[in-house]
């Protein structure tokens, strides 16, 4: 809820139920989503001018994940639940 991401509706206006896996380098580029990368090292964030924890090669990582999952994607859904 702190990120305006909810498991099931109804949820407040502006809220959502999706949690995406996508490319990103820094945590500030995410809002309740997951970024994957092939390497993880601190990098200079050009917006803040500071060195921050980051993931690298995230677009390549997403492409590889999609390639690996493609044969299994038809008819499957991933559900993340809180216990």
């Amino acid at each position: 809820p702190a990120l305006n991401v909810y498991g099931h509706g109804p949820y407040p206006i502006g809220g959502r139920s999706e949690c995406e896996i996508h490319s990103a380098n820094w945590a500030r580029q995410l809002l309740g989503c997951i970024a994957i990368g092939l390497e993880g090292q601190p990098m200079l964030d050009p917006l803040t001018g500071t060195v921050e924890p980051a993931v690298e090669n995230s677009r390549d990582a997403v492409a590889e994940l999609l390639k690996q999952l493609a044969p299994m994607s038809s008819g499957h859904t991933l559900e993340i639940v809180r216990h």
Side-chain angles (χ1 to χ4, degrees):
L3 295 173
N4 227 9
V5 180
Y6 302 88
H8 297 284
Y11 43 86
I13 294 173
R16 60 192 172 95
S17 62
E18 294 84 17
C19 177
E20 298 176 341
I21 298 173
H22 60 78
S23 60
N25 294 113
W26 295 277
R28 68 169 170 74
Q29 297 172 312
L30 304 168
L31 185 61
C33 295
I34 300 167
I36 59 174
L38 299 178
E39 299 177 43
Q41 297 197 56
M43 293 185 351
L44 177 65
D45 184 337
L47 286 183
T48 65
T50 59
V51 175
E52 302 286 341
V55 295
E56 297 178 87
N57 302 313
S58 60
R59 289 183 183 147
D60 293 339
V62 170
E64 182 62 27
L65 177 64
L66 292 174
K67 182 175 133 186
Q68 295 291 323
L69 293 178
M72 301 176 277
S73 63
S74 180
H76 292 84
T77 301
L78 172 66
E79 181 177 355
I80 300 172
V81 296
R82 183 188 309 173
H83 291 282

